[in-house]
Amino acid sequence: MSTQGTAEKEINHPDKVKATANMTIEAIQNRFVELTKAYKALTDETVRENLEKYGNPDGRIDVSMGIAIPKWIVEGKNNIWVLGFYGIIFGGALPALVGRWWFGSRQKTKDGINASSAGTFFKSLKEESSFEEVLGTFAKAFQWEFPARKAALSCALDNLEKQIEEKAGSKYQEVKKVCGDDTLSRKGLILLYAHLLRLDIQSSILRKEQRKILLHTPLLLNALLNIATSRNWLSPSLAVMRLHAYITQAVLPGPERIRFAQLPGITLEEVSTLAPKATDLREFEQALIEKHDIRILDVKIALTKWGRVEIVDAAFRVIGERIVTPSSIVFLVVKLRISPPLSNHVQEKELNIDETKRRIKFNEEKDEEFLVNRKEAEELPPDNLLPGWVHAPYWPGERKPSWWIVLGDEKSNRVVVPPTKVTDVPFAQPNHERDYRSYKIQFQAPQNVGVFTWKVQLISDSFVNEDASHEITLKIEDASTLPNDVQFEDEISDPDEDSIAGQMAAMRGGPVKKKTIDGGSDDESTTDDDENDDDTSSDSDSD
C-alpha cells in the first residue's frame, strides 16, 4: 500500500501535472497536500494517532478568544486603581441608581402621580364641591408634581395674575383661596388660567413650563376622577370629567355661549358680540353667513366633523332573562352615534313593512350577539366613518375625542356605575342598517326589589357643552313572587330554536320555538301569517 501511495503521490506532484480547463494550479496543490497527509497517516505512527484522536493529521488545534483592552489595565502596578474603579461602579453608583428608582416608584401611585398629590385630592375633595373648588383642589398638586425651580420671573407671573384677575374676577379669587399660598401651586394655577383665558405669555421659559403642565393634566384629572368615583360622588365626578374639555379647548367655564369659542378663529371676546341672538352652533353659523364673515368656510368644515354624540338607545339587559332579579348581573347597553350640527343630510330611504321587519330582526340578532360577547364595544363594519383629530389649536399636541358613560342618581348625588371611557363612535349614516355602535357596562343589580330611576350621562373630554343624557328605569323583581304564567310567559314570544337566544334558553331548560319541518309548526297562527305573507308577496310579483 505504501508503494501505491508513493506512485500516486509522484503522479500528482504539482511539477508533473499540468493545469487544464477543469483543474487549476491551486486545486492541484491542494490535491498533492491531501495525498501527502494520507501517505504519512499510513507510514507515520504519530500522524495516524493524531488522525484517530483529533480527526486531523496535524494534531490538536487550540482556539483562544480574548477582549482587546488597554495594556495598562492588566498591568500589575495599576491593579489598585482598577479595583477602585470597579468598587465605585458596583458598590456606589449602581446601588444609588437602583435605590433612586425604587424610592421614586414608591412615591408614585398606580395612576402615575405623586403620592402626596393623591393624598391632597383625597383630603380636599368634598361631596358638595363646586366647580371652582374642584379646580382649586386640582391646582394643589402642582407643588409636588413639578420640582422647585429658581425663583425668577416673578414679575412676569405677577403681570399674568393681574390680567387673570381682571378677566376672571371673583371666580379666580375663589379658586385661588382653595389652592392655597404655596408658591409652586400658585405658579401652576396662574399658568393654567393663562391657558384657559388664552393669554399671551412673552417668556419662553414660562411657555415651556405651561406646556409641561398641560400635558400632565390628563394624569392628574384621571387620578382626581378615580378618587371622586371611589366615593360615589356624582357632582364632583362630572366636574372633573368636564374639566378635560375646558382645558383641551382653552375655555374658562362660563355660560352656554362659551361653546362658540371652540370654532376656528372665534375669540373669547367675540362670543357675546358676534352673534348675540344665536343660541346654538347652527344659528351661530347662519349669523356668520349673513355677515359674510371670511371665517365661515373653516367654521363649516369644523361643524361637519363636530363631536356631538347622540344616545340612540339605552337599556338594561340580563343574559338569558326577561326580568331583572336582585343581585343579578346586569348589562347597561348604550347605543351611540355622532350627529354633527352640519352633517351631510342624506334623505333616508323609506322602508316597506317587510324591509322594516328584516331590519328589526337583523338588529335584534346583532344585539344578542354583542350581549354574549366578551368585548365591551361592538365590532364596527369597515365602511363606518370614525372621527379624526379634535380641532383644538390651543392644546399642545394632537388629541382623539373620547367620552365617558356614567350612570348616576341625581337625587342622591350618587354614582351608580363608575364611568367608562369609550372612543371610536361612528358618524350617523341614515341608510345603513346599523348606523350606531353599542357599548356595554356590567354591574350588579341592587339587592332590594323596586323601581330605580337613574340617568345615563355622556360627557365629552374634548368638546365643551356637548354632553348628552338619557333617563332610564331599572325594575328589580323577585321571580319567586310572580305567578307561574308570568314567570315564563309575557308579550314576547318564545325564541327560535336555531337562534342564539333560543340556544341559551334551551340550555336553561326554558321553552323555545321549534324549527318548522315540512311546513308544520307548533304555532298554527304563525304558519297562517307566513302563508298570507307569501301569498301577498307572490301577488305583488305577478303584478
Side-chain angles (χ1 to χ4, degrees):
M1 186 179 295
S2 60
T3 305
Q4 292 177 359
T6 304
E8 187 175 354
K9 176 183 175 184
E10 292 177 353
I11 293 172
N12 289 276
H13 195 280
D15 295 338
K16 297 182 179 181
V17 179
K18 294 182 180 181
T20 61
N22 297 325
M23 185 69 71
T24 62
I25 295 296
E26 290 78 7
I28 295 172
Q29 292 175 350
N30 292 335
R31 175 67 176 167
F32 179 74
V33 172
E34 292 176 358
L35 291 174
T36 302
K37 291 181 179 180
Y39 176 75
K40 287 184 178 181
L42 297 174
T43 58
D44 193 324
E45 294 296 333
T46 304
V47 175
R48 180 183 297 177
E49 184 178 358
N50 290 337
L51 187 63
E52 292 175 354
K53 287 184 177 182
Y54 308 110
N56 192 332
D58 297 328
R60 182 177 180 180
I61 300 177
D62 295 328
V63 179
S64 61
M65 300 178 65
I67 301 175
I69 57 177
K71 184 178 180 181
W72 61 270
I73 292 181
V74 296
E75 290 180 351
K77 62 181 181 179
N78 295 327
N79 285 346
I80 185 66
W81 300 106
V82 175
L83 291 175
F85 174 76
Y86 279 107
I88 293 173
I89 294 296
F90 293 101
L94 186 60
L97 184 62
V98 174
R100 182 180 179 183
W101 168 81
W102 170 254
F103 289 106
S105 62
R106 291 181 62 184
Q107 294 177 356
K108 298 287 185 180
T109 66
K110 65 177 182 179
D111 296 318
I113 68 170
N114 193 286
S116 299
S117 301
T120 300
F121 290 163
F122 189 83
K123 294 178 182 178
S124 302
L125 196 63
K126 306 298 180 183
E127 182 178 359
E128 63 280 358
S129 293
S130 63
F131 195 95
E132 288 72 21
E133 291 172 338
V134 170
L135 185 55
T137 300
F138 169 73
K140 284 185 178 181
F142 293 148
Q143 58 183 305
W144 293 288
E145 295 300 320
F146 305 103
R149 299 184 181 274
K150 296 180 180 180
L153 303 173
S154 58
C155 294
L157 284 175
D158 290 339
N159 292 332
L160 276 177
E161 189 169 28
K162 289 179 181 178
Q163 298 180 53
I164 293 170
E165 291 174 348
E166 292 177 359
K167 292 180 176 293
S170 60
K171 293 292 186 181
Y172 174 72
Q173 296 298 334
E174 185 178 348
V175 175
K176 183 179 177 182
K177 182 179 179 181
V178 177
C179 179
D181 298 329
D182 183 82
T183 304
L184 294 176
S185 296
R186 170 179 167 269
K187 180 180 181 179
L189 181 62
I190 293 173
L191 294 177
L192 179 61
Y193 254 84
H195 169 72
L196 294 174
L197 293 171
R198 303 181 181 180
L199 299 180
D200 187 23
I201 299 178
Q202 301 297 329
S203 171
S204 60
I205 298 177
L206 286 180
R207 286 198 301 269
K208 290 180 180 179
E209 293 187 7
Q210 185 189 54
R211 175 185 174 87
K212 186 177 180 181
I213 289 174
L214 293 177
L215 293 176
H216 195 63
T217 53
L219 283 179
L220 291 173
L221 289 175
N222 287 335
L224 186 58
L225 179 61
N226 289 337
I227 291 176
T229 55
S230 66
R231 298 178 174 183
N232 296 329
W233 294 341
L234 181 60
S235 295
S237 299
L238 295 177
V240 175
M241 287 186 278
R242 291 181 176 125
L243 189 54
H244 277 269
Y246 285 114
I247 295 178
T248 300
Q249 296 292 345
V251 172
L252 192 65
E256 282 289 321
R257 294 182 57 83
I258 202 66
R259 68 168 65 181
F260 301 148
Q262 304 173 87
L263 297 174
I266 307 301
T267 64
L268 295 174
E269 292 74 17
E270 292 177 314
V271 167
S272 57
T273 60
L274 190 58
K277 295 182 179 181
T279 58
D280 57 22
L281 293 172
R282 191 68 182 268
E283 292 181 2
F284 191 86
E285 179 253 350
Q286 290 295 328
L288 292 181
I289 294 176
E290 294 174 0
K291 293 177 179 292
H292 303 286
D293 197 300
I294 60 174
R295 294 168 291 185
I296 187 59
L297 294 178
D298 294 334
V299 170
K300 281 188 173 182
I301 293 174
L303 290 180
T304 55
K305 301 296 182 182
W306 202 253
R308 175 178 293 174
V309 175
E310 175 188 358
I311 299 179
V312 179
D313 187 31
F316 294 111
R317 301 289 301 275
V318 178
I319 297 178
E321 299 291 344
R322 299 174 184 174
I323 64 172
V324 181
T325 57
S327 302
S328 60
I329 301 301
V330 183
F331 289 94
L332 171 61
V333 181
V334 183
K335 300 176 181 179
L336 306 176
R337 65 187 174 198
I338 297 178
S339 300
L342 290 185
S343 57
N344 297 324
H345 296 285
V346 178
Q347 186 175 2
E348 191 170 357
K349 178 183 176 182
E350 293 185 4
L351 304 178
N352 56 36
I353 297 177
D354 293 337
E355 291 176 337
T356 302
K357 288 182 178 180
R358 183 186 59 80
R359 178 171 292 189
I360 293 174
K361 183 178 181 181
F362 171 79
N363 286 324
E364 288 178 350
E365 291 177 352
K366 285 291 184 180
D367 291 341
E368 290 295 336
E369 291 178 6
F370 173 62
L371 189 63
V372 300
N373 197 310
R374 293 184 178 182
K375 295 184 178 180
E376 296 181 352
E378 184 182 13
E379 291 288 344
L380 284 175
D383 59 341
N384 275 79
L385 299 177
L386 297 177
W389 301 113
V390 176
H391 172 74
Y394 294 93
W395 178 256
E398 295 179 332
R399 191 178 181 95
K400 191 175 182 180
S402 299
W403 294 265
W404 282 282
I405 301 175
V406 56
L407 180 64
D409 185 359
E410 291 184 337
K411 296 179 181 178
S412 60
N413 193 28
R414 287 290 180 268
V415 174
V416 179
V417 179
T420 298
K421 202 168 189 180
V422 299
T423 185
D424 290 337
V425 179
F427 283 95
Q429 295 174 281
N431 290 325
H432 280 225
E433 289 186 327
R434 200 172 177 88
D435 67 333
Y436 54 83
R437 190 178 190 184
S438 296
Y439 302 85
K440 64 183 178 183
I441 304 173
Q442 178 181 324
F443 68 100
Q444 188 174 16
Q447 299 178 357
N448 301 326
V449 175
V451 178
F452 302 87
T453 302
W454 297 325
K455 180 177 286 188
V456 178
Q457 300 199 52
L458 196 70
I459 311 297
S460 173
D461 73 340
S462 304
F463 297 96
V464 175
N465 291 340
E466 291 296 347
D467 303 339
S469 61
H470 181 88
E471 287 193 359
I472 189 170
T473 300
L474 176 63
K475 185 178 181 181
I476 307 295
E477 301 180 81
D478 189 354
S480 61
T481 61
L482 298 176
N484 293 333
D485 57 340
V486 178
Q487 291 184 29
F488 300 102
E489 297 292 339
D490 58 8
E491 69 278 5
I492 303 176
S493 61
D494 295 332
D496 293 332
E497 182 181 25
D498 56 350
S499 66
I500 296 177
Q503 294 175 6
M504 295 182 61
M507 293 173 61
R508 298 191 311 273
V512 296
K513 185 187 299 180
K514 298 295 183 181
K515 187 176 181 181
T516 57
I517 301 176
D518 296 332
S521 174
D522 294 339
D523 192 346
E524 296 180 357
S525 61
T526 304
T527 306
D528 295 338
D529 292 341
D530 293 339
E531 292 177 355
N532 293 333
D533 292 341
D534 293 339
D535 294 338
T536 304
S537 60
S538 61
D539 292 340
S540 61
D541 292 339
S542 61
D543 294 340

